[in-house]
């Protein structure tokens, strides 16, 4: 799907110029002055979003790299630390995000086929609500870590469970900062996402989106799906990695 | 935009009060707001020009201070601690706030829409935002430098930067982090613009090579800059919270930082160089009046450089405990990446062959670029040889190498480009005689500064030291040569500064196409109107379709009339 989208823009501009008579669309209020027609504007927007997402991949990618390096270096510590995360809350949140992706896709569809503004806003609101739910659960989890002294800051971090031979407290702290860095960055993206969704919702309510013009909804959808996909990777890497860890003895307690 | 009525004094005025004969982007409206809130890519380019120039001269001041200290063997001018700050500030300002944004954000911004026949970049608001982000990053960094400074070197190596340095590492890092987003936005804007905004008939292989170079640069902006951003963020976190990622005491790995840093910073050296190569392609074609030899090879070599540039970062780490097998691979790929660079040099040379060459100032800089880049690039190969690098690593040989590339290459290209497009940007000619003189001064000063450093480094003078042994008199001789060269170059840099400003008021009016060249940017008035072209141009000719000079004078440079296609009358190039 990604490659298809981008490939479509490759031979786009010249063809777009030739094929569309500018006058056909030029009256549309959403057309910026420096574009010839809405088609060109939409292409530019969607290519821009894909490139932005490529940039995001590199941004998150370094943290994944750090994860891979330190996980291979300290496999047991990572398993022990991961075992302490609450995989049930993680799984719940995964389900919430997948649902929100669905509602977002429905919102895009509603704008594309010209459903009423009510329908559009309904799906968008549902998306936002699910996003907020995710963040709420995340906050609960963070609070638990705070209570257990698992915030990986010097002088703060304290691991209470017994340590086995190959596991040092420092290596467990390493897992926790990776956990906080990755999920924190992800949560930041969710917050920004909801902040962007609100004005889009407002404009949808004003009836701005039609089958002819709905680029903002579509582009936001791309962003939202991307943020979801990041979580789909984070969940198994962080939560499930140590789900069966029995190296300590208290594993069953969780 | 706002205060168009009752226009006050023209900022750019013809001699004795004569105004530009046509409405253009400079005189379309006036007032500070019309500049600070402008969405016109041409005005944003000028905003960048002003701020980048400021950082360039500030970085230059630090360079002069470094060179003064090194005139004598004893560390007598400044303490070693201060010296550490001098070269760090010099490097940070020059790399992140001058070289990286210079050509893309100024000339790229100004020219890309003009060259492809568009009204603006695809996202004008992001473009303006990128300038504000750049300014924010610059101000934060300046604050860090002035309120205490940083002594880590521009490379911020851990564990020094994370654990031991007393400098304002976090603040400086924050400035660079913020600044990175301006690069990302610029790159994004360029790629989208080049893909979607080309005028009808402007196919990929009719694009000027300047565009290809910027396309490749933008790829690096997009894929590289986020990496340095997150890396610097990690250094800051490590300093503030001791999270342990680069701290061996906590199980972290300081060399991981070097990997992450050079993964960006080697490609970043091509960010500095590729746009310059784009300029050289334009200038060489115009002033030898020939199509670039092997256009497609030169175009794809830019892309090849961008791609392979991501695979060679390990050549900065041969002596850093990196595995010897990794070292061999990195060494080999470093040799491979020299091939596309060599393709360019050979093709430019072949373009010169039997061309009708004229030695206007832009051409002088382009020729200087070829020669100096050759030396810089070849010594890069020396450094990429495992055995030799162990000897010269972290010596002045390395310093000389990258200055031949960054100053001899990137900066020369930048100056050549500024002269070449100055008539288009301001509508005025610069004084040719002075400009050639300045080019000569800069060229001589440059070589006198940096050639001795190759010798110094080969003899073992380490970089980043503020003192050296007295009992090696030849070292001092070479250092004094270097310092005098730097002074000559410094003066040489001031000359263009003066005559560029002078020409904005007193220069001759430029015609639409003073050289004459073939690109679309020359087929609209000088300076261009706000919307660039009266009507969207339709391109029916190949890039660089030059005709012999005599023919050009009679019938114009290409298949189209010499008049700007929007029908706007250019002036005749003389003072009224
Ligand atoms: C094309 C533009 C180039 C630029 C702007 C550039 C810039 C630089 C810079 C800034 C450094 C030193 C960084 C530091 O240690 O602080 C450096 C070092 C190095 N460069 Fe280049 N370089 C370029 C091309 C090349 C090429 C083509 C090669 C080889 C194929 C090369 C090989 C090296 C090596 C091996 C070093 C490390 C030397 C050492 O630290 O021992 N460079 N270059
Ligand atoms: Cu390198």
């Amino acid at each position: 799907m990604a490659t298809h989208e981008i490939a479509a823009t490759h031979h786009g501009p010249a063809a777009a110029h030739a094929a569309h008579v500018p006058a056909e669309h030029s009256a549309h209020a959403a057309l910026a002055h420096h574009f010839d027609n809405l088609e060109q504007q939409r292409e530019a927007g969607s290519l821009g979003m894909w490139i932005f997402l490529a940039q995001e991949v590199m941004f998150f990618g370094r943290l994944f790299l750090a994860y891979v390096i330190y996980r291979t270096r300290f496999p047991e510590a990572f398993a022990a630390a991961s075992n302490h995360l609450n995989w049930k809350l993680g799984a719940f949140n995964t389900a919430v995000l997948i649902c929100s992706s669905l509602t977002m896709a429905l919102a895009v569809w509603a704008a594309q086929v010209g459903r009423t503004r009510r329908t559009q806003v309904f799906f968008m609101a549902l998306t936002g609500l699910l996003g907020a739910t995710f963040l709420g659960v995340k906050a609960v989890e963070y609070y638990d870590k705070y209570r257990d002294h698992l915030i990986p800051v010097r002088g703060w971090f304290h691991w209470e469970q017994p340590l086995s031979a190959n596991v040092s407290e420092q290596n467990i702290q390493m897992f926790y900062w990776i956990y906080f860095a990755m999920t924190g960055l992800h949560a930041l993206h969710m917050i920004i996402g909801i902040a962007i969704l609100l004005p889009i919702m407002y404009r949808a309510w004003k009836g701005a989106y039609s089958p002819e013009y709905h680029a903002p909804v579509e582009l936001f959808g791309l962003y939202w799906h991307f943020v979801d996909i990041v979580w789909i990777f984070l969940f198994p890497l962080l939560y499930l990695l140590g789900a069966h860890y029995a190296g300590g003895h208290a594993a069953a307690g969780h | 935009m706002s205060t168009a009525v009752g226009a006050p004094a023209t900022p750019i005025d013809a001699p004795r009060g004569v105004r530009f004969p046509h409405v253009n982007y400079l005189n379309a409206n006036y007032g500070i707001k019309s500049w600070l809130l402008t969405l016109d890519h041409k005005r944003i380019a000028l905003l960048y020009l002003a701020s980048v120039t400021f950082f360039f001269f500030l970085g230059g001041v630090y360079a002069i201070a470094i060179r003064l200290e090194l005139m004598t063997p004893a560390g007598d001018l400044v303490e070693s601690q201060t010296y550490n700050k001098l070269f760090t500030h010099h490097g940070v300002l020059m790399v992140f706030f001058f070289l990286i944004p210079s050509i893309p954000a100024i000339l790229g911004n100004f020219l890309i829409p003009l060259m492809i026949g568009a009204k603006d970049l695809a996202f004008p608001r992001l473009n303006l935002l990128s300038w504000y982000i750049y300014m924010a990053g610059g101000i934060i960094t300046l604050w860090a430098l002035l309120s205490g400074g940083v002594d880590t070197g521009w490379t911020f190596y851990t564990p020094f930067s994370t654990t031991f340095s007393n400098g304002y590492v976090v603040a400086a890092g924050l400035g660079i982090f913020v600044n990175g987003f301006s690069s990302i936005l610029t790159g994004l804007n360029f790629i989208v613009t080049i893909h979607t905004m080309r005028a009808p008939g402007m196919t990929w292989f009719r694009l000027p090579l300047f565009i290809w170079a910027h396309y490749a640069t933008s790829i690096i902006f997009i894929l590289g800059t986020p990496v340095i951003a997150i890396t610097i963020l990690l250094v800051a976190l490590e300093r503030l919270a001791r999270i342990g990622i680069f701290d061996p005491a906590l199980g972290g790995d300081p060399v991981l930082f070097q990997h992450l840093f050079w993964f960006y910073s080697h490609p970043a050296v091509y960010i500095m160089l590729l746009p310059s190569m784009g300029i050289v392609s334009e200038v060489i074609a115009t002033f030898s009046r020939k199509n670039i030899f092997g256009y497609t090879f030169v175009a794809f070599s830019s892309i090849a450089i961008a791609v392979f540039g991501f695979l060679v970062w390990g050549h900065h780490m041969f002596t850093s405990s990196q595995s010897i097998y990794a070292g061999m691979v990195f060494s080999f790929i470093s040799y491979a990446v020299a091939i596309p660079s060599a393709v360019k040099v050979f093709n430019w040379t072949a373009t010169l062959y039997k061309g009708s060459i004229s030695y206007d100032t832009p051409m002088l800089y382009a020729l200087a670029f070829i020669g100096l880049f050759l030396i810089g690039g070849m010594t890069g190969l020396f450094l990429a040889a495992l055995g030799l690098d162990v000897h010269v690593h972290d010596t002045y040989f390395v310093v000389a190498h990258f200055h031949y590339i960054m100053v001899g290459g990137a900066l020369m290209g930048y100056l050549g480009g500024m002269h070449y497009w100055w008539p288009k940007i301001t509508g005025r000619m610069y004084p040719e005689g002075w400009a050639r003189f300045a080019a000569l001064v800069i060229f001589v000063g440059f070589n006198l500064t940096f050639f001795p450093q190759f010798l110094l480094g080969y003899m073992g003078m380490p970089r980043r030291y503020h003192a050296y042994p007295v009992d090696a008199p030849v070292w001092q001789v070479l250092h004094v040569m270097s310092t005098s060269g730097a002074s000559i170059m410094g003066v040489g840099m001031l000359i263009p500064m003066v005559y560029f400003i002078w020409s904005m008021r007193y220069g001759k009016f430029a015609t639409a196409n003073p050289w004459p060249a073939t690109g679309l940017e020359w087929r609209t008035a000088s300076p261009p109107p706000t919307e660039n072209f009266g009507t969207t141009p339709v391109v029916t000719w190949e890039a660089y379709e030059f005709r012999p000079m005599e023919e050009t004078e009679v019938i114009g440079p290409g298949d189209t009339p010499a008049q700007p296609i929007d029908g706007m009358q250019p002036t005749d190039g003389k003072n009224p």
Side-chain angles (χ1 to χ4, degrees):
Chain A
M1 150 73 164
T3 42
H4 170 74
E5 277 274 352
I6 290 178
T9 59
H10 266 285
H11 48 77
H17 273 285
H20 291 258
V21 188
E24 180 190 332
H25 289 304
S26 61
H28 200 289
L31 181 66
H33 82 282
H34 59 295
F35 289 112
D36 286 345
N37 51 47
L38 276 179
E39 171 66 15
Q40 189 192 21
Q41 179 171 337
R42 201 192 62 84
E43 258 174 23
S46 93
L47 181 60
M49 182 51 85
W50 280 107
I51 292 169
F52 174 76
L53 296 182
Q55 179 276 137
E56 290 281 59
V57 168
M58 297 307 285
F59 202 73
F60 276 104
R62 292 304 103 168
L63 290 174
F64 280 102
L65 179 73
Y67 174 92
V68 169
I69 288 173
Y70 290 120
R71 165 154 185 226
T72 34
R73 232 174 245 193
F74 317 119
E76 230 190 302
F78 267 48
S82 156
N83 186 265
H84 191 76
L85 292 181
N86 188 335
W87 71 265
K88 285 172 195 148
L89 286 184
F92 174 74
N93 255 351
T94 309
V96 168
L97 272 196
I98 290 176
C99 290
S100 86
S101 255
L102 174 67
T103 54
M104 190 61 226
L106 288 172
V108 175
W109 164 81
Q112 264 169 355
V113 301
R115 291 295 152 122
T116 60
R117 60 200 176 102
R118 245 166 225 290
T119 321
Q120 297 177 19
V121 171
F122 171 75
F123 284 126
M124 288 179 198
L126 217 54
T127 308
L129 226 58
L130 288 166
T133 312
F134 174 93
L135 287 171
V137 173
K138 204 75 223 146
V140 170
E141 283 188 77
Y142 278 1
Y143 178 74
D144 285 348
K145 301 293 164 296
Y146 165 79
R147 210 192 40 208
D148 295 349
H149 292 281
L150 293 177
I151 308 279
V153 173
R154 185 180 43 174
W156 245 100
F157 188 83
H158 184 56
W159 180 254
E160 277 161 3
Q161 265 110 336
L163 296 163
S164 70
N166 330 332
V167 177
S168 78
E169 181 167 321
Q170 276 139 10
N171 300 344
I172 293 203
Q173 179 183 339
M174 182 76 85
F175 174 86
Y176 274 99
W177 89 252
I178 290 181
Y179 165 79
F180 274 102
M182 294 180 104
T183 56
L185 196 62
H186 176 261
L188 183 68
H189 278 79
M190 297 282 300
I191 294 171
I192 292 173
I194 293 178
I196 299 174
L197 181 60
L198 291 177
I200 293 183
M201 236 158 91
Y202 173 76
R203 291 191 54 202
W205 184 249
K206 293 273 166 197
Y209 305 123
S210 59
E212 197 190 13
Y213 171 73
H214 50 268
V217 189
E218 210 173 281
L219 298 186
F220 176 77
L222 285 178
Y223 173 84
W224 192 259
H225 296 315
F226 171 81
V227 177
D228 283 4
I229 289 171
V230 172
W231 180 259
I232 302 289
F233 282 96
L234 289 183
F235 173 60
L237 289 182
L238 295 172
Y239 288 80
L240 301 185
L241 168 72
H244 297 294
Y245 176 73
H249 42 82
H254 286 270
Chain B
M1 195 178 294
S2 50
T3 52
V5 237
T10 43
I12 295 193
D13 215 350
R16 289 176 292 284
V18 181
R19 288 223 221 133
F20 274 115
H22 64 271
V23 176
N24 60 61
Y25 81 103
L26 290 168
N27 65 12
N29 44 43
Y30 298 97
I32 189 90
K33 241 173 92 185
S34 76
W35 282 86
L36 291 183
L37 297 180
T38 182
L39 296 179
D40 182 350
H41 65 103
K42 300 184 284 304
R43 286 193 167 199
I44 296 173
L46 293 193
L47 293 177
Y48 265 115
L49 175 62
S51 28
V52 165
T53 306
F54 167 77
F55 284 110
F56 173 62
F57 277 95
L58 195 60
V61 171
Y62 284 111
I64 295 292
I66 294 171
R67 284 317 319 167
L68 287 179
E69 166 62 68
L70 289 175
M71 262 181 27
T72 54
D76 38 18
L77 188 65
V78 294
E79 287 171 24
S80 50
Q81 199 60 35
T82 317
Y83 184 78
N84 291 348
K85 288 180 184 167
L86 290 182
F87 70 68
T88 304
H89 296 187
H90 168 67
V92 166
L93 291 174
M94 286 302 200
V95 169
F96 295 109
F97 294 94
F98 172 67
L99 276 172
I100 289 182
S102 61
I103 300 176
I106 301 169
L107 291 172
N109 227 333
F110 194 97
L111 291 166
I112 287 177
L114 282 166
M115 284 183 164
I116 65 174
K119 294 196 187 105
D120 206 319
L121 289 175
F123 308 115
R125 280 196 194 82
L126 284 190
N127 196 18
L128 181 63
L129 179 66
S130 86
W131 180 73
Y132 277 102
I133 294 178
Y134 170 79
M135 289 310 282
I139 288 169
I140 297 172
T141 304
L142 271 187
W143 173 73
L145 302 191
L146 297 181
S147 61
V150 192
D151 59 354
T152 59
W154 75 282
T155 46
F156 293 96
Y157 270 20
T158 56
F160 181 68
S161 60
T162 46
T163 314
F164 303 107
S165 164
N166 289 322
Y168 281 57
V169 177
V170 175
L174 181 68
I176 295 169
F177 176 81
V178 170
N179 181 36
F181 289 93
S182 116
S183 301
I184 293 174
L185 292 184
T186 303
L188 189 153
N189 225 336
F190 285 178
I191 294 187
V192 174
T193 306
I194 296 169
H195 267 282
T196 62
M197 310 276 289
R198 283 170 287 125
M202 182 54 95
T203 56
W204 281 91
F205 293 102
R206 283 175 175 172
L207 288 172
L209 289 165
F210 182 87
I211 300 286
W212 279 95
H214 275 77
Y215 189 84
T217 308
S218 304
I219 294 177
I220 307 177
F221 272 144
I222 296 295
L223 298 182
T225 317
V227 176
I228 193 74
I230 194 104
T231 307
I232 288 179
L233 201 65
L234 293 180
V235 169
L237 280 178
E238 175 87 47
R239 248 183 108 79
L240 294 172
R242 279 285 169 283
I243 53 176
I245 179 173
F246 300 130
D247 185 350
L250 295 177
D253 187 345
V255 177
L256 176 61
F257 171 83
Q258 294 186 27
H259 280 289
L260 296 181
F261 180 84
W262 288 113
F263 179 84
Y264 164 75
S265 291
H266 183 83
V269 305
Y270 290 112
I271 292 181
M272 307 172 209
L273 196 69
L274 277 168
S276 220
M277 292 172 146
I279 291 176
V280 172
S281 296
E282 299 297 311
V283 170
I284 294 275
T286 298
F287 292 98
S288 41
R289 313 218 57 73
K290 274 177 69 186
N291 187 359
I292 284 285
F293 180 84
Y295 169 98
T296 33
F297 276 87
V298 179
F300 280 118
S301 67
S302 288
I303 307 293
I305 287 175
V307 173
F308 287 114
F310 274 107
L311 305 176
V312 301
W313 77 90
H315 66 213
H316 296 271
M317 302 169 59
F318 288 150
T319 59
S320 73
S321 83
Q322 168 182 271
S323 117
I324 185 70
Y325 300 107
M328 282 159 66
V329 173
F330 280 124
S331 173
F332 177 78
I333 306 177
S334 300
Y335 274 77
V337 81
I339 294 172
S341 306
V343 164
K344 285 188 193 285
V345 171
F346 284 126
N347 286 20
W348 290 326
T349 319
T351 308
L352 293 175
Y353 180 65
K354 289 194 172 166
S356 55
I357 297 175
S358 47
Y359 295 96
D360 296 276
T361 312
M363 186 63 160
L364 294 183
Y365 282 111
L367 294 174
F369 177 103
I370 297 181
L372 300 179
F373 171 65
L374 192 67
I375 298 178
M378 293 301 279
T379 51
L381 290 179
F382 296 2
L383 291 169
L386 285 165
L388 190 62
D389 187 60
V390 174
H391 178 58
V392 290
H393 174 64
D394 263 350
T395 67
Y396 262 81
F397 194 88
V398 175
V399 176
H401 154 67
F402 66 74
H403 280 89
Y404 261 80
I405 303 268
M406 291 168 153
V407 181
L411 182 68
M412 295 288 170
Y414 169 67
L415 288 174
M418 283 312 291
H419 285 85
Y420 183 56
W421 283 291
W422 190 253
K424 185 53 63 182
I425 295 173
T426 61
R428 304 276 189 163
M429 299 304 289
Y430 59 84
E432 186 65 39
W434 276 104
R436 287 188 197 178
F437 173 67
L440 189 70
V441 172
I442 292 175
F443 183 78
V444 170
F446 170 81
N447 283 296
L448 191 57
T449 313
F450 291 108
F451 200 82
Q453 296 186 0
F454 279 126
L455 306 178
L456 275 169
Y458 198 74
M459 290 189 281
M461 168 81 200
R463 62 191 292 201
R464 296 180 173 170
Y465 277 48
H466 81 318
Y468 48 91
V470 206
D471 50 7
V474 65
W475 284 27
Q476 184 171 9
V477 172
L478 291 170
H479 269 304
V480 170
M481 281 168 75
S482 184
T483 302
S484 40
S487 321
I488 294 174
M489 188 164 51
V491 173
M493 297 287 176
L494 290 176
I495 306 175
M497 198 58 199
V498 173
Y499 65 67
F500 273 147
I501 293 176
W502 174 88
S503 77
M504 290 200 301
R505 203 172 170 86
Y506 302 106
K508 288 181 185 166
F509 278 133
T511 56
N513 191 359
W515 300 122
T518 57
L520 266 185
E521 80 271 29
W522 302 108
R523 299 178 194 230
T524 183
S526 302
T530 301
E531 296 253 298
N532 292 348
F533 302 94
T535 51
T536 306
V538 179
V539 182
T540 53
W541 58 90
E542 304 302 316
Y544 312 113
E545 254 186 18
F546 284 101
R547 296 160 182 279
M549 199 58 164
E550 305 76 40
E551 215 178 307
T552 306
E553 277 160 8
V554 184
I555 62 164
D559 273 347
T560 48
Q563 295 298 332
I565 38 188
D566 56 358
M568 213 171 273
Q569 285 298 318
T571 55
D572 62 356
K574 297 198 178 67
N575 281 337

